[in-house]
Amino acid sequence: MIKLCVFDFDSTLMDGESIDILASKYGVFDEVSKITTRAMNGELDFFESLSKRVSLLKGMPYELVLQTCKSFPLMKGAKEIISYLKSKNIIVAVFSGGFHEGVDEAQKVLNFDIAFANYLHQKDGFLSGLVGGEMMFSNSKGVMLKRLKELLRLKDEEVACVGDGANDISMFEQSSLKIAFCAKEILRQNATHCVDEKDLTKIKDIIK
């Protein structure tokens, strides 16, 4: 029986990539998007790609960041699947290589239980181009999930994970139920289940 379900945020609970949307608002979308695509395909080290992309946002007004994060589009079925899981007393966590600025806004709507993500550093109201936080490296999700399992005294077979990109592999390694959601091929190869329709309610029958 599943007791904990961990979701990726970007392109999983949210329909899009946080940093790509922020980059579009700041006029650097093409440069950032190319790096995002390579990172999610596993072609670039996650820390290196994250640092490079955030550096391109240097000078962006922090107020614009916050305003943009409030309008991030949620994935179809996100509200419904989280309500369903919580009705079954399953703890719902979000592990994001993106940013608390967006994840925390989504938490107000989706009401998931736990969130780990990164923070965009700002000075005098503008992004500094630096980033820090809990999900900075390619193995961060796996390390965090291992700790969370120990804290909650859960076994692998009591954990489900849902993600779409290369930096979700490490958390897949810490669970027995691994759901690749509209995912890159590198993650599909590490999954027990694949859902190819952009509707999170499609995972209902997988998580028992």
Side-chain angles (χ1 to χ4, degrees):
M1 179 184 293
I2 298 299
K3 296 183 179 179
L4 169 68
C5 185
V6 182
F7 287 89
D8 172 45
F9 184 65
D10 292 355
S11 297
T12 303
L13 282 181
M14 187 188 92
D15 191 0
E17 293 289 321
S18 301
I19 196 159
D20 288 353
I21 294 173
L22 291 172
S24 181
K25 284 284 184 179
Y26 194 48
V28 292
F29 173 78
D30 288 346
E31 300 97 308
V32 168
S33 181
K34 289 176 185 176
I35 300 171
T36 299
T37 299
R38 293 186 65 197
M40 297 310 290
N41 285 329
E43 298 171 14
L44 286 177
D45 173 75
F46 183 76
F47 175 76
E48 178 187 4
S49 69
L50 179 64
S51 300
K52 282 184 177 179
R53 287 177 289 169
V54 172
S55 71
L56 293 168
L57 299 179
K58 183 177 181 179
M60 184 175 184
Y62 192 60
E63 186 58 38
L64 179 57
V65 171
L66 297 179
Q67 290 174 4
T68 303
C69 288
K70 289 179 180 178
S71 61
F72 278 169
L74 298 178
M75 185 65 68
K76 181 181 179 181
K79 292 181 183 179
E80 292 82 359
I81 194 61
I82 290 178
S83 294
Y84 167 76
L85 294 172
K86 290 175 72 70
S87 75
K88 294 173 67 70
N89 295 315
I90 295 173
I91 298 169
V92 179
V94 172
F95 290 0
S96 176
F99 316 109
H100 269 291
E101 286 83 356
V103 173
D104 293 350
E105 285 296 326
Q107 188 169 19
K108 297 174 185 177
V109 178
L110 299 176
N111 198 33
F112 43 82
D113 300 296
I114 308 165
F116 297 101
N118 299 314
Y119 291 93
L120 292 164
H121 291 181
Q122 58 97 14
K123 183 178 181 181
D124 300 326
F126 297 90
L127 294 189
S128 68
L130 300 175
V131 60
E134 304 140 340
M135 293 285 147
M136 291 284 290
F137 303 97
S138 59
N139 68 336
S140 292
K141 294 184 180 183
V143 170
M144 188 62 74
L145 182 50
K146 185 174 186 293
R147 291 175 181 170
L148 194 55
K149 286 191 304 181
E150 292 170 353
L151 180 65
L152 298 173
R153 298 180 181 178
L154 297 178
K155 301 174 182 178
D156 287 4
E157 55 265 31
E158 295 174 310
V159 180
C161 290
V162 187
D164 76 300
N167 71 321
D168 295 316
I169 293 174
S170 66
M171 72 175 183
F172 271 25
E173 292 171 346
Q174 295 293 325
S175 66
S176 61
L177 189 57
K178 320 163 199 279
I179 304 171
F181 180 78
C182 300
K184 307 296 186 294
E185 182 59 30
I186 191 170
L187 190 67
R188 293 172 64 90
Q189 293 172 3
N190 289 272
T192 57
H193 298 78
C194 295
V195 173
D196 296 320
E197 184 178 343
K198 290 179 74 172
D199 181 352
L200 282 168
T201 62
K202 299 300 180 181
I203 72 174
K204 265 188 180 183
D205 294 335
I206 301 172
I207 303 176
K208 304 293 185 181

